[in-house]
Structure formats: structure tokens, C-alpha cells
Amino acid sequence: MTDPVINNPKEGREEGQGVSMAPAKKRKAKAKPNAPAESTQSNFPACIRSVPPSSVAITIHAKPGSKLASITDFSDEALGVQIDAPAKDGEANAALLDFMSSVLGVKRRQVSIGCGSKSRDKVVIVEEMTLQSVFDILDKASKCSA
């Protein structure tokens, strides 16, 4: 008599060669809350902030076309600056950078427009200055012009 053939699906497979499974799904990591801002920046207005390694960004609300270049206000949102040049062909931007370099006492090449070259709201980058020194100078200049 012959033995009946048993149809076994695992027959002929070695151990560990079972039916393949789909890889486990990767889950997105939960976002951790950001650490609080450095305490060194907490006593400065939000319109000035440190940019590593040694620069400072200043948010400026420019007012072109005035008779005299001056700082009008120094608030948390922006530094208000009147510019004695028209907003035409980049003249106001050049005048703004000249004025800011003279107020801060730095060379003209250390001051540049980070963004907002075609807007009244701009970000000016000042290289090789500390946040504290920029704050002190702008605070003093805003009080003198008021």
C-alpha cells in the first residue's frame, strides 16, 4: 500500500522562511515643544534678533521721501526709520543702509538688506555686532530723535 500524499504548504521550506510580511509602518515622531527662547534675548524687542555667528537682524519699517533721515519709533514690531530719498530705483534702500551704518557706527559693507528690498517692511542685517550693542545704540538714537 502506498501512503497518501499530504499536501502541506510548509513542506519544502526551511524554518524562518514563512510567508513574507509587509515591513512595519514607520510612525511620525510626535513633535516636541520648542525649548523656550534664550533668556539673553528676552529683554530685547522682537524687532532685533541675533543671527549666528556674529550678526544682528533688525526689522525696519521704512518711510521714504522725508526731508530728514531719522529714527521715528523703536517698538517691538519694527524700528521706524524716515529716509531722505525717494522710493525709486533703490535710492531709498541705499539711503537706508547709509543711514543705518552711520547710526550704528559700522562700515557700510557690514550692513545689508536681508529681505524686503521692494517693500517698506525690511530686515537689515548688521555684521560683526552684538545684540546688546545694537540695542543700546538704537535705544539711545530713538530717544535723541524723539
Side-chain angles (χ1 to χ4, degrees), residues 88-105:
K88 178 179 157 186
D89 298 328
E91 289 180 43
N93 288 338
L96 172 67
L97 295 177
D98 289 339
F99 175 70
M100 291 305 296
S101 65
S102 67
V103 167
L104 295 170

Side-chain angles (χ1 to χ4, degrees), residues 43-64:
N43 53 350
F44 299 113
C47 69
I48 60 172
R49 58 203 172 279
S50 181
V51 179
S54 62
S55 299
V56 176
I58 307 168
T59 303
I60 293 179
H61 181 74
K63 301 164 190 167

Side-chain angles (χ1 to χ4, degrees), residues 4-11:
V5 177
I6 300 174
N7 208 359
N8 187 355
K10 291 186 180 179
E11 187 176 270

Side-chain angles (χ1 to χ4, degrees), residues 5-101:
V5 177
I6 300 174
N7 208 359
N8 187 355
K10 291 186 180 179
E11 187 176 270
R13 291 188 192 150
E14 293 179 20
E15 194 172 321
Q17 285 187 340
V19 177
S20 64
M21 293 176 38
K25 292 182 180 180
K26 294 182 181 178
R27 296 181 184 188
K28 292 182 180 179
K30 291 184 180 179
K32 295 180 182 177
N34 291 338
E38 292 180 20
S39 60
T40 57
Q41 291 190 10
S42 63
N43 53 350
F44 299 113
C47 69
I48 60 172
R49 58 203 172 279
S50 181
V51 179
S54 62
S55 299
V56 176
I58 307 168
T59 303
I60 293 179
H61 181 74
K63 301 164 190 167
S66 71
K67 293 182 181 181
L68 184 66
S70 65
I71 294 175
T72 58
D73 64 320
F74 188 27
S75 66
D76 203 40
E77 295 85 36
L79 176 72
V81 181
Q82 290 182 337
I83 306 299
D84 57 348
K88 178 179 157 186
D89 298 328
E91 289 180 43
N93 288 338
L96 172 67
L97 295 177
D98 289 339
F99 175 70
M100 291 305 296
S101 65

